Amino acid sequence: MRLHHVFMLFLLSLGPVGIAQAETPVERGKYLVQFGGCNDCHSPGYFFGKTTPETFLSGSDVGFQLPQGTFVGPNLTPDGETGLGKWTEAEIVTALQTGVRPDGRVLAPIMPWHAFAKLTKQDAAAIAAFLKSMKPVRHQVPGPLGVGEKPTFPVMTIIMPEGAPSQSK
Ligand code: HEC
């Protein structure tokens, strides 16, 4: 084998990733999280115009009051007690794409998992990798509350349009 053949093989072995310097899964996940609006519903202060980089995605302080109960966007940082620390990346992908939590509960549809179901497996995995790469922040959000329970925290009440099924999924 001639020397330049060896060099060609070396280039091929790098593949498109090595040559194009593609982003890492964590970088890709960060990009998708920024585009996906996760910050709006999962960071404290968002609805008051007061977010801080330190509390990014550490759980909202406003709940959504829906026909099926009241739900606060939980802490998505990898804190073991109050966030996703004990979830595997595969469990995060399942929640994002099917709405099913590790305990079997199906997430309220205000969490746009029906839309995230359309992400490629690779992109969903990149989001999970980014969430796991964040600094853990300790912050427990309240809820979820059942239909009859009165919230003791700020909520936005979502009134369904006439004709919509009241227990809509
Ligand atoms: C419109 C608001 C909204 C947006 C946008 C949103 N979420 Fe959520 N998310 C929620 C709410 C509310 C819940 C809790 C629902 C429940 O408990 O049934 C939730 C739950 C979750 C859960 C389950 C966490 C747990 O502890 O149960 C994960 C994971 C999650 N969201 C990730 C994301 C990611 C990643 C994005 C962006 C790509 C995102 N969410 C965008 C509102 C939102």
Side-chain angles (χ1 to χ4, degrees):
M1 211 187 292
R2 300 226 193 97
L3 196 58
H4 73 267
H5 286 150
V6 174
F7 182 62
M8 281 307 290
L9 279 177
F10 171 68
L11 276 186
L12 284 173
S13 76
L14 284 178
V17 173
I19 290 164
Q21 299 240 325
E23 58 197 349
T24 65
V26 168
E27 285 164 354
R28 174 79 181 162
K30 183 176 183 187
Y31 168 79
L32 291 166
V33 158
Q34 284 163 346
F35 180 70
C38 322
N39 179 48
D40 307 13
C41 302
H42 287 279
S43 297
Y46 177 80
F47 293 109
F48 305 103
K50 285 185 211 150
T51 51
T52 69
E54 295 75 37
T55 56
F56 182 61
L57 298 186
S58 68
S60 187
D61 46 5
V62 175
F64 292 96
Q65 198 168 30
L66 304 171
Q68 52 274 81
T70 302
F71 305 89
V72 182
N75 183 349
L76 301 181
T77 74
D79 182 63
E81 301 306 318
T82 65
L84 300 179
K86 294 200 178 105
W87 294 36
T88 65
E89 291 186 22
E91 285 170 337
I92 296 174
V93 168
T94 300
L96 281 177
Q97 300 211 277
T98 69
V100 181
R101 285 167 35 101
D103 66 4
R105 185 169 71 79
V106 178
L107 297 168
I110 190 82
M111 160 62 192
W113 59 265
H114 286 100
F116 301 155
K118 309 287 192 302
L119 286 164
T120 63
K121 275 273 163 287
Q122 218 179 355
D123 279 349
I127 291 176
F130 169 68
L131 295 179
K132 282 290 198 175
S133 79
M134 287 194 295
K135 200 160 94 46
V137 177
R138 203 177 167 79
H139 175 229
Q140 180 66 53
V141 303
L145 304 182
V147 178
E149 291 178 86
K150 209 174 142 48
T152 55
F153 47 87
V155 295
M156 281 189 283
T157 303
I158 311 292
I159 299 168
M160 301 305 281
E162 214 170 306
S166 62
Q167 297 297 314
S168 67
K169 283 247 162 85

